[in-house]
Amino acid sequence: VLGWHAESDARYGGRSLCSFKHRSDSKAALFSGSLDTGLADDDDDNDEEEEQDNNRQLVLSGFAGVRSPNLENDVSLELKDYDAIVLRVLPDDRRYFVSLKTRGELHSNEEDLYQGLLPTKQEHAGSLVDVCIPLKSFFLTWKGSVQQNQPLINPANLTSIGFGLADRESGAFQLEVHSISLCDREQFQEEQART
């Protein structure tokens, strides 16, 4: 979890909290915290940085997320032949999303952000499960909005991965992440069928 960055709507005037910590007992990372869909009370004692962040005028709250440090270019290039991401997770019963950033090709910023649902089911809550998400099921977004132009992700341009929760339900959450890898989806399905 070294270099991973956790952030919630608290930075912009919300009241959600989150962390991303290593669990030595399970050799996994735990993304956990509490979502709060209410807005923080106005506070005249905000410091200058908080004032700049709060100037965004948060209208909806209830967001928490975590993002990895950027991958080295040579690591990204090794991923070019894969078409899916596999996550071994121990989820609760909340609905999470996965974010993939790639070197920017479509926007004026340096990175494009693709998002997709982490398709865990109610019966997965509390159980270790391998989840395979095809890269083609991710949507290109820009400042929270799905874009009209939807090119496929080029895994060779991958710069970072993240997780988030924005299901608009207040309360505690936890997602234990045991591993993350890219794979050939067909090969993954064949291996799963044999087990």
Side-chain angles (χ1 to χ4, degrees):
V1 298
L2 186 64
W4 285 68
H5 176 71
E7 184 174 77
S8 74
D9 57 36
R11 181 175 177 188
Y12 308 106
R15 297 185 294 210
S16 300
L17 301 171
C18 69
S19 65
F20 193 62
K21 296 181 179 176
H22 179 256
R23 291 192 59 170
S24 56
D25 58 336
S26 63
K27 297 184 180 173
L30 182 65
F31 173 49
S32 64
S34 177
L35 276 197
D36 189 327
T37 57
L39 296 175
D41 296 332
D42 289 334
D43 182 2
D44 295 331
D45 297 327
N46 286 344
D47 64 25
E48 192 171 311
E49 182 179 330
E50 286 176 335
E51 280 184 30
Q52 288 175 352
D53 287 338
N54 288 335
N55 282 339
R56 291 184 165 179
Q57 304 238 340
L58 190 64
V59 177
L60 296 173
S61 65
F63 165 82
V66 63
R67 181 174 71 87
S68 75
N70 285 345
L71 298 172
E72 298 293 330
N73 286 345
D74 56 341
V75 172
S76 295
L77 289 173
E78 293 175 13
L79 305 175
K80 65 181 173 57
D81 295 325
Y82 297 116
D83 65 356
I85 184 168
V86 176
L87 302 108
R88 176 167 283 179
V89 295
L90 196 155
D92 55 16
D93 60 355
R94 308 285 294 259
R95 294 292 301 215
Y96 296 87
F97 61 86
V98 179
S99 297
L100 300 176
K101 282 194 174 184
T102 62
R103 279 186 283 287
E105 296 177 350
L106 303 169
H107 296 108
S108 58
N109 68 336
E110 294 180 3
E111 297 177 319
D112 295 323
L113 179 65
Y114 291 82
Q115 294 183 310
L117 287 177
L118 180 61
T120 55
K121 298 177 183 173
Q122 195 76 22
E123 61 264 24
H124 293 153
S127 300
L128 196 59
V129 61
D130 290 325
V131 180
C132 181
I133 311 171
L135 295 181
K136 66 182 180 182
S137 68
F138 283 80
F139 292 94
L140 178 66
T141 63
W142 176 248
K143 296 185 178 180
S145 298
V146 174
Q147 298 300 285
Q148 190 170 19
N149 183 17
Q150 288 294 322
L152 290 176
I153 295 175
N154 179 352
N157 288 338
L158 189 65
T159 59
S160 72
I161 183 172
F163 307 94
L165 179 63
D167 61 5
R168 304 283 303 135
E169 293 182 22
S170 293
F173 67 88
Q174 68 174 36
L175 176 69
E176 196 171 283
V177 181
H178 287 252
S179 65
I180 304 166
S181 59
L182 264 68
C183 72
D184 177 282
R185 184 176 177 222
E186 190 173 312
Q187 184 177 350
F188 173 82
Q189 290 172 331
E190 288 172 2
E191 289 171 2
Q192 291 293 99
R194 287 196 294 267
T195 57

